[in-house]
Amino acid sequence: MAAPTKTSRGYIPLLLLVWSAMGSIHVTNAFVPTIQPGLMVPVETTKAMPRSALGPLWSTISEEEEIDRSLLKKQPNKLKGKKIRVIAKKAKEEDANCLELDPVGRLRLCHTPDILLQGLDPSVWSASRPKSGKTNSLFLHTSHPESQSEHQTSLGSLISCRRLLACARQNRYWMGPKAGEGPEDIPFDTQFLLIEIEEDQQYALMLPLVDNGFRASLSHNAGANQIEVVCAAESGDAAVTGTGMRALYVAVGEDPFKLVQEGFANVAEATGTFQTLDKKKVPSSINDFGWCTWDAFYSKVSPEGILEGVQALKDAGVPPRTIILDDGWQQVNPSPPDWLEPKEKKEEKDDNILSSIMNAIVETVANPFVKLVTSFYTNVVRTAPHGSIPNMIWSFLANNVLKGGLWDFFDSETDFNRQLDGFEANHKFEGSDKTLKGLVTELKEDHGIKSVYCWHALHGYWRGVSEDVGRRYNLDVTNSFPKPSQSLMKLEPHAAWDPVSLFGVGVMTNKDDLEKFYTHLHTPLVQAGVDGVKVDVQSGVSSAGDGVGGGPHISKLYMKAMEASVSKRFPSDNGAVNCINCMCHSTENLYRHKETSVARASEDFFPDRPESHTAHLVNVAYNSLFLGEICLPDWDMFHSKHESAELHAAARAIGGCPVYVSDKPGQHDPELLSKLVMPDGSLLRATQPGRPTRDCLFSDVTADQKTALKIWNMNQNGGVVGAFNVQGVAWNFDTHENEVLDPSPSSVTTLVKPYDIEYLRDAQGPFAVWRHRTGTMDFLEDGNSAVKTKLHHRDWEIFTICPIQVKGLIMWAPIGLPDMMNTGGSILSTGELEEGTDGTTRAKFETRGPGRFVSFANTKPKRVLLAGGSASESQQQRQQSLSFSYDKESGELSFDLPEELSEGEAHHITVEW
């Protein structure tokens, strides 16, 4: 908030009677200056003036006596001569949340003295309203006198900020959150920024944009006297210059979730380059349990391994219905040695036996040097910032004396230096006795698989397409050697010696070639019966824009061509597009997701990095606050047999996301998976992207030693909150890696209340709360009542929260299947309590089964009926009475449901009192 302003007039002669619901404010003088908070003004006479002219105000008598506004209009003389201190406060939404850029470079809230940003250069910055015309938001435009490929433009000082949440890029592919209290906490390359102006009352949103061939982002600059917010804009190509762009969307509002939702809707409408999630359909496959081949086999995947993995999951009682055939099925160059047939391997070894011996001798001699170099990189270079001496030394070595060695390393230890070398599947999947089509057919017909997805990079493979493929298919492919931009080098210093920088990337730069490219790439998959694709490495294309028109330009070309192809060739049965976007967290990609509706929300699940697992949950949850407005967040695969398996499973149960594992064949935890997966392979998926609850939006759940990460979601009936102790590890934006802050974090205690679920904030209560792990029921009178839980490190709990219906003396709420982590996800519909003419009160609902079902009732019912039998029987004949148990103390009513009559068919239940 701005500080009170003193004036040379002393206190201004002004009559203020304050508002009532339909009231006016009275003044004696025609002269009405703007009133600042803290000004002392005398109350005098009776000339009426609309309160909107003074803005939203809250008034108290200077003697700190509370004013009863309902009496002010009736008895104005009681205040005559008294001094009133005026304090800014929200009244009408259109007044409190009006935003304007004034002529002196202040971004301020209209009708109040509150300033969001101060110090914008009026000769550079201008503003416009969104198409909706709402006054709570602005687009900020830049105009510079010189045309350049990069502009650093000050937004001045951040004045109104209690706390903030930034989502910034961690590397070229992924972003992550950073909580803070001021501009100094805005990381480099921030893409989304939410600011708490006043606790639980007013918020601001800032969205850097992509426009006119430039991409904008936010950061901070610590000057001599103040910390300023900086808007950086760059094209990614030194030859592509410009003077300005529509750089930033800014809005203010009272509801942070509504503010974000409306913000992305306004940006989508203005740019026309993407659609928000609420205007897109999501693939039906997201409701099916899946298995991904990546961690099970990495790129050594084979048809035999896939069939073995599917059968193992079926034998464990959790049949997958979606398969993701990840990296390892394509033709690439150089071909990995362990992909060659045994005969080819033998010949290669025999032909080069002398060379192999010599290499072994050289390696032995050079071993001390290798160890020295490795130690230097691991201990010094790996976390050194761009421009530092170690960084420059290694960059020189990598581009000269170590270049050949790095090629050998990338070739033998990774797939990152390979290029796509053909469009058909490789020899592992296409041969005299096997085809990709045959594999897909067998998976569907013999194993019940409904959807098969195949992985590929946006530009074909990790280093794009080989020039040889271009010649064979008449595609204009250029092996480009992009120079990493300064911002990318700062974000990811090792970009200076990655395979793309050292050995080039094969790209195409015109839409006709790209259309043909995706036709060649996708047509064989369609012919094989493949249902969809996972399109990876998307932000790798945008970071390689140097020399080919810049990142925004080349991303636009590739994303538009890719989406056109997948929309045409991989439609879901519900009209959605079967495509998972991945490694796509640059806004150059996110703001191009117009047709596709699913995107990975975070860096990978890393089974062998124990410090990464809590950080993974934090990244996904907070990224989803923003990403979830564009695409359904995909939380990535996990392993069911892993020390952190329960933590990941619980998070995905409430994430509203697809659920799939990457277990090696036979290495499963069936008991854990059965809490996520129904016997038919379907999921009880929550309906929204899981997001942090309002009370932890701006908390540092990784390091403050007191706050649990709480994630909320909705089901068809009620909602769900998951609470997690994820303290101890956070992403370090300086060293570019996860940092262990506390190896043994203490327990945290948290409160969970119905109003943690945003869609329940209009419900008055009472509410029933079911705790999954303890299997206990709680009754809460209203939305602000809470249950308390204590969580040890990496501990978790899931709370299913349902509004209680009241009819006469009966109170009732269906909860769901308690053995499933998302208990309430089983309920498909529920009706209102009905009181019949015979005096019987009935509750009717539909739920998935089988299993034990729990509900809340304040009175023991007479009976519980299950609809069943054949269609030829009458409704009464088809109703089966179920035995039930009732606990009067807790109100828990439970009964067992049988198997469903057919796949996905809900049970129709009637409870009677």
Side-chain angles (χ1 to χ4, degrees):
M1 297 295 179
T5 304
K6 294 182 179 180
T7 73
S8 59
R9 298 176 60 90
Y11 47 78
I12 302 164
L14 181 69
L15 174 62
L16 179 65
L17 284 185
V18 200
W19 61 23
S20 62
M22 297 294 293
S24 299
I25 296 178
H26 299 260
V27 298
T28 47
N29 299 350
F31 168 64
V32 185
T34 302
I35 297 179
Q36 303 286 348
L39 287 179
M40 310 297 291
V41 297
V43 177
E44 301 200 3
T45 85
T46 61
K47 185 174 179 181
M49 175 182 142
R51 67 173 180 262
S52 61
L54 296 178
L57 306 173
W58 181 283
S59 303
T60 56
I61 297 177
S62 58
E63 289 88 348
E64 297 186 356
E65 174 188 349
E66 188 174 327
I67 296 176
D68 183 349
R69 289 192 186 80
S70 65
L71 299 178
L72 293 182
K73 188 176 180 183
K74 298 177 183 179
Q75 303 177 23
N77 290 333
K78 283 192 173 182
L79 291 177
K80 188 173 182 179
K82 290 189 175 181
K83 297 177 181 177
I84 295 179
R85 182 166 60 92
V86 181
I87 304 173
K89 187 176 177 68
K90 289 177 287 295
K92 290 184 178 179
E93 184 176 350
E94 61 268 26
D95 286 337
N97 294 319
C98 175
L99 194 64
E100 66 179 6
L101 179 62
D102 69 18
V104 296
R106 296 178 301 181
L107 189 63
R108 61 192 303 265
L109 279 65
C110 312
H111 313 305
T112 79
D114 296 338
I115 298 170
L116 184 61
L117 291 166
Q118 179 172 283
L120 289 84
D121 185 344
S123 69
V124 174
W125 290 102
S126 61
S128 65
R129 294 285 180 204
K131 292 180 180 179
S132 65
K134 288 191 174 182
T135 60
N136 72 315
S137 57
L138 290 171
F139 286 102
L140 297 184
H141 308 252
T142 60
S143 179
H144 296 273
E146 295 183 6
S147 185
Q148 299 178 149
S149 62
E150 182 175 352
H151 295 281
Q152 299 283 336
T153 313
S154 174
L155 283 161
S157 302
L158 180 61
I159 304 299
S160 296
C161 176
R162 183 176 180 269
R163 294 183 298 176
L164 60 79
L165 168 67
C167 272
R169 285 212 289 179
Q170 297 174 339
N171 52 47
R172 76 189 78 181
Y173 303 117
W174 305 110
M175 64 180 178
K178 174 69 181 296
E181 298 179 351
E184 67 276 9
D185 295 312
I186 301 175
F188 178 75
D189 213 334
T190 288
Q191 299 192 128
F192 310 112
L193 181 64
L194 186 65
I195 298 168
E196 183 184 55
I197 298 175
E198 188 174 353
E199 185 176 10
D200 202 26
Q201 293 195 37
Q202 195 163 43
Y203 306 87
L205 173 69
M206 295 186 187
L207 302 177
L209 305 176
V210 178
D211 179 61
N212 198 30
F214 281 72
R215 171 185 172 269
S217 64
L218 298 176
S219 60
H220 75 273
N221 180 38
N225 300 316
Q226 63 182 9
I227 297 173
E228 64 177 0
V229 183
V230 176
C231 178
E234 64 177 5
S235 69
D237 188 336
V240 178
T241 64
T243 58
M245 66 179 296
R246 177 170 47 195
L248 191 66
Y249 171 86
V250 187
V252 291
E254 299 176 356
D255 182 329
F257 296 97
K258 184 178 178 181
L259 182 65
V260 172
Q261 182 183 42
E262 291 182 348
F264 278 93
N266 283 334
V267 171
E269 183 181 35
T271 63
T273 60
F274 71 100
Q275 289 192 87
T276 51
L277 180 59
D278 59 359
K279 289 182 166 44
K280 296 185 281 193
K281 294 181 179 180
V282 293
S284 56
S285 60
I286 65 170
N287 296 310
D288 297 329
F289 174 55
W291 179 59
C292 177
T293 63
W294 180 241
D295 282 338
F297 304 109
Y298 298 111
S299 57
K300 298 179 183 179
V301 62
S302 67
E304 297 77 15
I306 293 173
L307 294 172
E308 181 186 3
V310 171
Q311 186 61 51
L313 284 166
K314 288 174 64 179
D315 293 343
V318 283
R321 302 206 299 192
T322 297
I323 295 295
I324 300 176
L325 173 50
D326 214 293
D327 190 359
W329 66 271
Q330 293 172 286
Q331 297 179 40
V332 297
N333 182 41
S335 181
D338 52 5
W339 287 13
L340 299 177
E341 297 293 346
K343 183 178 179 181
E344 293 174 313
K345 281 188 175 183
K346 185 176 185 299
E347 290 175 350
E348 181 185 35
K349 186 175 181 181
D350 289 343
D351 290 343
N352 296 281
I353 188 167
L354 181 60
S355 175
S356 300
I357 294 173
M358 291 304 298
N359 284 339
I361 294 173
V362 170
E363 183 177 354
T364 302
V365 174
N367 192 51
F369 174 72
V370 171
K371 288 184 177 180
L372 178 64
V373 171
T374 302
S375 176
F376 174 63
Y377 183 85
T378 302
N379 299 319
V380 180
V381 177
R382 183 172 55 87
T383 59
H386 170 60
S388 64
I389 292 177
N391 176 274
M392 290 188 291
I393 291 173
W394 187 264
S395 182
F396 173 80
L397 293 173
N399 282 274
N400 293 279
V401 296
L402 296 180
K403 191 170 183 178
L406 287 172
W407 171 270
D408 292 339
F409 168 78
F410 289 128
D411 184 47
S412 61
E413 302 297 325
T414 78
D415 295 310
F416 298 147
N417 73 330
R418 311 194 199 288
Q419 294 182 315
L420 187 69
D421 202 41
F423 294 108
E424 302 288 338
N426 62 37
H427 72 276
K428 294 186 294 180
F429 293 86
E430 295 287 348
S432 59
D433 60 340
K434 56 189 172 184
T435 63
L436 180 60
K437 183 176 182 178
L439 172 64
V440 173
T441 300
E442 184 174 355
L443 287 169
K444 292 183 177 181
E445 294 183 355
D446 297 346
H447 295 277
I449 299 300
K450 295 174 64 176
S451 302
V452 176
Y453 284 64
C454 282
W455 176 99
H456 69 76
L458 178 62
H459 52 333
Y461 207 69
W462 291 97
R463 280 206 305 120
V465 180
S466 71
E467 291 181 325
D468 184 53
V469 164
R471 287 187 288 270
R472 296 201 312 264
Y473 290 89
N474 194 30
L475 300 171
D476 186 9
V477 176
T478 301
N479 194 51
S480 171
F481 289 80
K483 180 181 178 182
S485 66
Q486 289 299 307
S487 62
L488 177 60
M489 299 276 272
K490 184 174 180 180
L491 181 71
E492 194 175 342
H494 71 256
W497 53 82
D498 71 2
V500 168
S501 296
L502 292 177
F503 312 117
V505 57
V507 294
M508 288 152 279
T509 58
N510 69 76
K511 62 180 183 180
D512 292 336
D513 278 332
L514 285 168
E515 181 181 348
K516 289 191 293 183
F517 166 69
Y518 285 113
T519 297
H520 288 305
L521 181 60
H522 290 155
T523 298
L525 298 178
V526 174
Q527 293 171 343
V530 171
D531 303 279
V533 286
K534 175 182 175 181
V535 183
D536 214 341
V537 205
Q538 292 190 11
S539 295
V541 174
S542 57
S543 66
D546 179 52
V548 291
H553 171 72
I554 197 169
S555 294
K556 175 183 177 180
L557 292 175
Y558 270 88
M559 293 298 295
K560 190 172 183 178
M562 181 274 288
E563 286 215 326
S565 181
V566 296
S567 299
K568 176 182 178 180
R569 295 181 172 92
F570 301 113
S572 177
D573 56 10
N574 64 352
V577 180
N578 287 333
C579 178
I580 303 170
N581 297 291
C582 193
M583 300 179 81
C584 57
H585 284 190
S586 170
T587 46
E588 291 153 315
N589 302 105
L590 294 177
Y591 285 159
R592 292 289 172 186
H593 292 155
K594 197 168 188 176
E595 306 295 335
T596 54
S597 57
V598 179
R600 273 276 303 280
S602 172
E603 176 69 281
D604 292 10
F605 165 85
F606 291 112
D608 299 325
R609 300 182 191 177
E611 78 285 353
S612 70
H613 298 293
T614 55
H616 178 90
L617 267 62
V618 173
N619 287 344
V620 175
Y622 286 92
N623 286 346
S624 294
L625 177 66
F626 306 103
L627 178 64
E629 296 300 330
I630 301 174
C631 287
L632 180 71
D634 177 335
W635 287 55
D636 196 23
M637 58 200 160
F638 70 104
H639 292 186
S640 68
K641 206 165 188 177
H642 188 274
E643 62 178 1
S644 296
E646 282 196 358
L647 184 75
H648 285 281
R652 284 153 181 77
I654 62 166
C657 55
V659 176
Y660 47 101
V661 295
S662 193
D663 296 344
K664 293 181 184 298
Q667 297 185 21
H668 317 296
D669 185 339
E671 182 180 357
L672 175 63
L673 290 176
S674 67
K675 298 177 182 180
L676 295 171
V677 186
M678 299 295 284
D680 64 357
S682 61
L683 304 170
L684 304 184
R685 191 178 63 86
T687 63
Q688 303 288 320
R691 287 160 286 181
T693 58
R694 191 179 294 211
D695 60 352
C696 70
L697 272 180
F698 302 96
S699 298
D700 189 348
V701 297
T702 67
D704 68 5
Q705 301 181 347
K706 62 181 181 181
T707 306
L709 169 63
K710 293 192 299 178
I711 301 170
W712 69 273
N713 214 320
M714 285 295 295
N715 289 309
Q716 295 297 333
N717 179 62
V720 60
V721 175
F724 306 85
N725 183 346
V726 291
Q727 296 280 334
V729 178
W731 182 262
N732 186 314
F733 284 93
D734 295 323
T735 61
H736 314 289
E737 61 182 7
N738 285 319
E739 180 183 3
V740 178
L741 305 171
D742 186 347
S744 301
S746 59
S747 300
V748 298
T749 299
T750 190
L751 299 176
V752 175
K753 58 183 185 292
Y755 284 174
D756 283 337
I757 301 166
E758 292 296 314
Y759 288 85
L760 293 184
R761 285 185 164 244
D762 292 332
Q764 295 183 352
F767 299 88
V769 180
W770 179 263
R771 306 188 194 207
H772 171 75
R773 299 190 78 177
T774 61
T776 55
M777 184 88 71
D778 291 284
F779 175 90
L780 297 179
E781 292 185 356
D782 55 50
N784 282 314
S785 299
V787 294
K788 181 185 292 188
T789 189
K790 184 177 182 179
L791 301 170
H792 299 294
H793 183 224
R794 296 196 180 192
D795 200 3
W796 57 273
E797 179 61 283
I798 296 176
F799 302 82
T800 299
I801 304 176
C802 300
I804 295 175
Q805 296 185 38
V806 180
K807 191 77 172 181
L809 299 177
I810 303 299
M811 303 175 74
W812 152 259
I815 304 297
L817 301 175
D819 293 331
M820 304 298 289
M821 285 183 166
N822 183 21
T823 297
S826 68
I827 299 175
L828 302 186
S829 67
T830 181
E832 297 292 328
L833 278 173
E834 299 176 351
E835 189 171 351
T837 56
D838 59 354
T840 298
T841 300
R842 294 181 176 85
K844 297 181 179 181
F845 62 97
E846 296 177 280
T847 182
R848 297 290 311 276
R852 187 168 72 97
F853 187 93
V854 296
S855 54
F856 171 85
N858 67 332
T859 303
K860 182 178 180 179
K862 291 188 296 185
R863 58 180 180 167
V864 177
L865 301 174
L866 166 68
S870 67
S872 62
E873 296 175 301
S874 68
Q875 182 178 356
Q876 186 173 1
Q877 288 175 319
R878 286 188 281 120
Q879 285 192 327
Q880 169 190 351
S881 182
L882 296 177
S883 60
F884 62 87
S885 62
Y886 178 73
D887 181 72
K888 183 178 181 180
E889 183 176 347
S890 67
E892 179 185 327
L893 168 67
S894 63
F895 45 87
D896 290 326
L897 295 171
E899 296 279 349
E900 296 170 341
L901 294 178
S902 62
E903 181 180 319
E905 182 178 340
H907 292 303
H908 296 257
I909 309 294
T910 302
V911 182
E912 295 183 347
W913 290 268

